[in-house]
Amino acid sequence: MKTEVIPIDPLHIDATDLEQAAAIIRRGGLVAFPTETVYALGADVFNRTAVEAVFHAKGRPATDPLIVHIAHAEQVNQVAARMPLLAQQLAAAFWPGPLTLVLPRKESIPAEVSAGKNTVAVRLPAHPVICRLIEEAGVPVVGPSANRFGHTSPTSAQHVLDDLDERIDAVIDSGPTLIGVESTVLDVSGTEPCLLRPGGISLEQLHSYIPDLKFVPAYLNETSAATGPGMLLTHYAPRARLMLYDGSRDAVQIALIQGIAEQQQLGKSVGVLIIMDNPTRYEQAGAKVIHAGETLESAASGLFRAMRELDSQGVDVILADAPPASGIGLAIRDRLIRAASGQIIRVH
Ligand code: AMP
Ligand code: MG
């Protein structure tokens, strides 16, 4: 199938273009759309065939549940059986925004959406295009990240095409996404809230509502029964091998220079992905360098683009520096650790 690109300016949404995308959703097709986090792959949540097509297009195992996107808070009642008090408070505080709540599932949505679980993940995104699209389509829309399974998430329409061209009906192009890492996933369906994935809403922000919340990474092996793709150890990965360094600023800088030399001696073309650092010394050492950002926020926004760019420059190995775990740094570290298949090179 030919994948149509539908440009839509989020500040001046063209009703005809939006209707074209909504019609595709209504007839069971697949439309990739922008959110404030990353681009997602949309389909009618109530259409089982369309939901199955989302798994197929991504190459995603049927055991990995999808996040459902809604356009206004009341719409949660169409997909969740109930909204616990804590969920109501969190929704009031952080929606629209990058917080996904795992809630008891309503029986009326296809079990495939939740990979057969009795819960459903829901969020209200802060992006006018997807909210208008959901309203026009008249149904909540599933929206996993619009990449091939296990690969780096897309933060532009071109990234979506790089992974899914000719596998989906259309992609809405509204320019690069703002936040750049996926939503925070919080399970509030049981007695104890559980942070499943750090993301656009920080742990510190959640502490105002859940003071003792911690992130205990449940990194699982590919072979074990994972609860979702974000739980798999190797995920968000570029094609090049990613080696992640963690330690003091000075120690990491020295280790990166050494690492470049070692890889070059092995005949490898080396890329370096830095955050809040100066590229010059690594360029002088002969590496291709991408600076993801000068702040943690801009680094989150530029992280996946940096991985994709280094891949397209054909490097064999990417050396990366792990940022501090504060604020959105926790989400960046999580993505880098998974992109490095869980291996961290600790330097002092
Ligand atoms: P993605 O679709 O790429 O944004 O990833 C979706 C994330 O949401 C994965 O990390 C899943 O584990 C998580 N998720 C979705 N639905 C559920 C659910 N019902 N229970 C637990 N986690 C979920
Ligand atoms: Mg994903």
Side-chain angles (χ1 to χ4, degrees), residues 134-339:
I134 293 166
E135 279 167 12
E136 288 294 317
V139 283
V141 162
V142 295
S145 53
N147 51 280
R148 292 284 288 172
F149 179 70
H151 193 212
T152 313
S153 296
T155 56
S156 72
Q158 184 57 50
H159 293 165
V160 176
L161 290 172
D162 291 345
D163 274 27
L164 298 177
D165 195 16
E166 302 194 349
R167 304 182 71 91
I168 61 176
D169 295 284
V171 52
I172 297 175
D173 186 352
S174 298
T177 59
L178 188 68
I179 295 177
V181 291
E182 300 83 349
S183 61
T184 300
V185 180
L186 185 71
D187 187 345
V188 284
S189 65
T191 44
E192 284 287 310
C194 179
L195 180 57
L196 298 177
R197 174 175 78 182
I201 296 292
S202 69
L203 185 57
E204 291 89 337
Q205 285 173 287
L206 293 173
H207 278 160
S208 312
Y209 298 85
I210 316 166
D212 51 358
L213 187 68
K214 292 183 185 62
F215 177 52
V216 184
Y219 299 133
L220 302 175
N221 291 324
E222 304 259 349
T223 47
S224 62
T227 51
M231 306 292 277
L232 288 173
L233 192 50
T234 302
H235 207 73
Y236 311 109
R239 280 179 193 83
R241 175 173 172 226
L242 192 138
M243 296 171 69
L244 184 64
Y245 291 76
D246 192 21
S248 70
R249 164 66 10 131
D250 291 354
V252 168
Q253 285 176 345
I254 293 165
L256 286 174
I257 297 288
Q258 281 173 352
I260 293 169
E262 281 163 18
Q263 293 299 323
Q264 285 168 337
Q265 276 162 16
L266 296 170
K268 307 280 186 205
S269 163
V270 189
V272 176
L273 196 165
I274 51 169
I275 293 172
M276 302 187 289
D277 194 359
N278 182 343
T280 314
R281 60 172 71 80
Y282 312 118
E283 283 163 358
Q284 283 169 348
K288 297 194 166 86
V289 188
I290 295 201
H291 192 188
E294 288 287 355
T295 62
L296 286 178
E297 281 69 27
S298 62
S301 169
L303 180 73
F304 290 134
R305 179 169 30 95
M307 287 188 200
R308 282 177 183 258
E309 267 176 41
L310 286 168
D311 263 342
S312 67
Q313 291 184 29
V315 301
D316 303 306
V317 55
I318 298 173
L319 311 185
D321 167 19
S326 58
I328 201 158
L330 185 67
I332 302 174
R333 283 179 73 95
D334 172 72
R335 306 308 185 267
L336 285 169
I337 290 170
R338 292 172 203 263

Side-chain angles (χ1 to χ4, degrees), residues 60 65-67 102 117 119-121 144-145 185 196-197 227-231:
R60 178 165 172 141
L66 307 179
I67 294 174
V102 175
K117 291 167 168 293
T119 54
V120 61
S145 53
V185 180
L196 298 177
R197 174 175 78 182
T227 51
M231 306 292 277

Side-chain angles (χ1 to χ4, degrees), residues 64-122:
D64 292 327
L66 307 179
I67 294 174
V68 181
H69 292 66
I70 56 176
H72 42 87
E74 304 78 64
Q75 219 172 14
V76 77
N77 300 321
Q78 293 180 28
V79 294
R82 64 193 168 78
M83 193 72 171
L85 183 62
L86 176 63
Q88 292 176 32
Q89 291 169 340
L90 292 167
F94 298 112
W95 282 0
L99 178 66
T100 295
L101 296 172
V102 175
L103 300 164
R105 179 171 77 90
K106 196 154 193 169
E107 297 259 326
S108 50
I109 64 166
E112 286 80 359
V113 172
S114 295
K117 291 167 168 293
N118 56 11
T119 54
V120 61
V122 190

